[in-house]
């Protein structure tokens, strides 16, 4: 069945989404996402494409918002045309399904080295070094399996390594928004995002232990994973004579033993202006039963931000309130502690956080 697509921009160009134009991502050869500009246009094509246009030297034609409607398990074509007087080095895209929270998006359905070469380590799109002052990309945006609601895609470019949760970090152009409506287009009440049985290990000095946690997607990280992932780290675990959490920003100071790979090195991109995530903690009066009963985002509105970026001594059964670097509120329930600071000593916990 044909997709029904609506947008504020109507165009007669043919869609060549995700064409395999080249096997590399160099400025001379183009990108796997380029919309070819030398192809003969089909003036009879009535299909409408959700298109975003941003030109920092002439904003008169800018289009920051586009809308489309789609059917489940299909895709909707979207196009971005971003023109800058300075270099755009990376493209960041997020997807938010039915208000469940913005997540990094790079599911372009491209196989092999083309996609590998197009993506940076953190999942952003490489814009060919220092040459991308003008990009014209077309994407097929998937419509997930939901009955009613919105799928919101955000697009922005940066002058260096950015942050999927903070579009202002080294922002070049954006943020542009494409909203795909399914059914009646109304989202249900947002549920909390939950992570269970998260295990972090007491840190090793060489950074090889999985000691840091990302509230973005529930992933645990080795500290020496590399600078591309540093923006994902929200807090870490350490054990001295007792168990503690500390925000990434205060981890070295709280732990008292600098861990290799945590702080940006002088040779890293944007090292001088790099920042580490802050997370604020306090012991909650909510017990384990209350934690288990929280299901909706609004159930966490009672959490307030403390001034402390390190917890007190952690014990099994504790429920910890937190507010992350991006203002999201949540709870942590401690379920197991293997006391000690060897590589096989750990803490296990559950998390609920606003989307």
């Amino acid at each position: 069945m044909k997709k029904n697509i609506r947008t504020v921009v109507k165009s007669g160009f043919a869609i060549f989404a995700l064409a395999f134009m080249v096997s590399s991502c160099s400025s001379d050869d183009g990108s796997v996402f380029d919309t070819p500009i030398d192809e003969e246009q089909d003036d009879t094509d009535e299909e409408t494409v959700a298109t975003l246009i941003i030109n920092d030297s002439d904003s008169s034609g800018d289009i920051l918002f586009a809308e489309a409607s789609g059917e489940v398990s299909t895709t909707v074509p979207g196009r971005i045309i971003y023109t800058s007087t300075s270099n755009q080095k990376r493209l960041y895209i997020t997807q938010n399904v039915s208000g469940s929270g913005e997540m990094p998006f790079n599911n372009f359905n491209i196989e092999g080295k083309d996609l590998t070469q197009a993506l940076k380590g953190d999942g952003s799109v490489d814009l060919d070094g220092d040459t991308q002052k003008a990009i014209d990309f077309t994407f097929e945006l998937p419509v997930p399996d939901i009955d009613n609601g919105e799928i919101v895609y955000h697009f922005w470019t940066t002058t260096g390594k950015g942050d999927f949760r903070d579009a202002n970090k080294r922002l070049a152009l954006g943020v542009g928004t494409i909203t795909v409506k399914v059914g009646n287009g109304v989202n249900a009440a947002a549920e909390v995002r939950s992570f269970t049985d998260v295990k972090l290990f007491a840190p090793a000095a060489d950074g090889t232990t999985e000691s840091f946690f990302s509230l973005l997607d529930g992933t645990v990280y080795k500290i020496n994973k590399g600078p591309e992932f540093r923006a994902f780290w929200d807090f870490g675990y350490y054990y001295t004579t007792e168990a503690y959490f500390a925000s990434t920003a205060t981890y070295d100071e709280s732990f008292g033993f600098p861990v290799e790979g945590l702080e940006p090195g002088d040779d890293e991109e944007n090292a001088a202006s790099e920042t580490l995530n802050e997370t604020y903690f306090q012991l909650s009066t909510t017990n384990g039963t209350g934690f288990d009963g929280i299901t909706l985002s609004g159930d966490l509105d009672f959490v307030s931000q403390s001034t402390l970026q390190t917890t007190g001594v952690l014990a099994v059964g504790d429920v910890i309130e937190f507010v992350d670097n991006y203002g999201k509120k949540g709870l942590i329930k401690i379920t197991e502690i293997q006391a000690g600071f060897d590589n096989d000593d750990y803490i296990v916990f559950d998390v609920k956080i606003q989307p």
Side-chain angles (χ1 to χ4, degrees):
M1 183 178 296
K2 180 177 174 60
K3 303 185 288 290
N4 175 31
I5 303 172
R6 299 178 289 107
T7 183
V8 293
V9 177
K10 293 186 178 181
S11 175
F13 62 80
I15 300 302
F16 300 94
L18 304 181
F20 285 94
M21 296 175 59
V22 292
S23 59
S24 68
C25 195
S26 69
S27 58
D28 292 334
D29 295 331
S31 165
V32 293
F33 306 108
D34 284 339
T35 298
I37 59 176
D38 57 349
E39 297 283 350
E40 182 179 348
Q41 294 185 356
D42 182 1
D43 292 333
T44 64
D45 189 346
E46 297 295 332
E47 189 170 41
T48 307
V49 178
T51 303
L52 304 174
I53 300 174
I54 304 178
N55 186 332
D56 69 354
S57 62
D58 180 9
S59 61
S60 61
D62 283 4
I63 299 171
L64 299 179
F65 302 93
E67 186 177 292
S69 62
E71 296 180 1
V72 169
S73 300
T74 66
T75 60
V76 170
R79 185 182 185 187
I80 65 169
I81 306 170
Y82 285 10
T83 306
S84 175
T85 55
S86 58
N87 295 320
Q88 303 172 89
K89 294 189 175 182
R90 300 190 185 200
L91 169 65
Y92 284 79
I93 308 172
T94 61
Q95 179 195 62
N96 189 340
V97 180
S98 298
S100 60
E102 292 187 42
M103 299 298 292
F105 176 80
N106 50 40
N107 182 22
F108 301 116
N109 195 27
I110 299 176
E111 300 293 338
K113 64 182 180 181
D114 293 279
L115 181 58
T116 301
Q117 292 177 346
L119 297 182
K120 301 292 282 187
D122 66 348
S124 59
V125 178
D126 183 8
L127 297 182
D128 304 335
D130 295 331
T131 62
Q132 287 295 336
K133 294 186 177 180
I135 60 174
D136 185 347
F137 291 164
T138 300
F139 305 90
E140 288 292 333
L141 304 174
V143 182
D145 187 6
I146 60 174
D147 293 328
N148 299 289
E150 294 182 337
I151 302 97
V152 180
Y153 292 92
H154 287 147
F155 302 80
W156 69 94
T157 60
T158 63
T159 59
K161 183 162 67 71
D163 185 341
F164 276 106
R165 291 180 284 181
D166 181 5
N168 291 317
K169 189 172 184 178
R170 305 187 181 100
L171 178 66
L173 293 183
V175 175
T177 302
I178 294 177
T179 301
V180 180
K181 293 184 178 294
V182 178
N184 64 19
V186 178
N187 293 333
E191 297 182 353
V192 295
R193 290 165 48 232
S194 299
F195 310 111
T196 58
D197 295 328
V198 180
K199 180 183 284 189
L200 295 181
F201 289 86
D206 61 2
T208 58
T209 47
E210 293 181 334
S211 300
F212 275 78
F213 181 68
S214 173
L215 291 162
L216 175 65
D217 57 6
T219 300
V220 297
Y221 284 94
K222 293 182 179 179
I223 306 171
N224 66 356
K225 180 66 175 178
E228 284 290 328
F229 298 94
R230 192 176 284 120
F232 291 93
W233 305 340
D234 291 299
F235 64 87
Y237 171 66
Y238 67 91
Y239 191 99
T240 52
T241 57
E242 302 286 352
Y244 300 88
F245 290 140
S247 74
T248 310
T250 63
Y251 188 84
D252 270 355
E253 178 182 357
S254 300
F255 183 35
F257 301 93
V259 177
E260 182 179 345
L262 180 62
E263 296 288 344
D266 294 337
D267 58 342
E268 292 180 16
E269 179 186 22
N270 307 118
S273 59
E274 190 63 272
T275 57
L276 301 177
N277 284 342
E278 298 178 340
T279 305
Y280 297 87
F281 306 96
Q282 60 183 336
L283 185 65
S284 181
T285 58
T286 301
N287 59 22
T289 301
F291 176 95
D292 295 340
I294 289 176
T295 59
L296 300 178
S297 176
D299 295 341
L300 291 169
D301 286 344
F302 72 91
V303 174
S304 60
Q305 181 172 312
S306 77
T307 60
L308 303 175
Q309 295 193 56
T310 303
T311 64
V313 175
L314 298 172
V316 172
D318 283 350
V319 175
I320 307 297
E321 299 176 7
F322 69 86
V323 178
D324 74 5
N325 195 77
Y326 310 93
K328 302 292 180 65
K329 298 178 178 181
L331 296 175
I332 301 169
K333 181 175 70 173
I334 309 300
T335 58
E336 183 181 357
I337 297 175
Q338 177 64 45
F341 43 81
D342 290 328
N343 288 0
D344 56 353
D345 295 324
Y346 56 83
I347 190 169
V348 181
F349 55 95
D350 299 337
V351 179
K352 293 188 177 181
I353 184 173
Q354 293 177 328

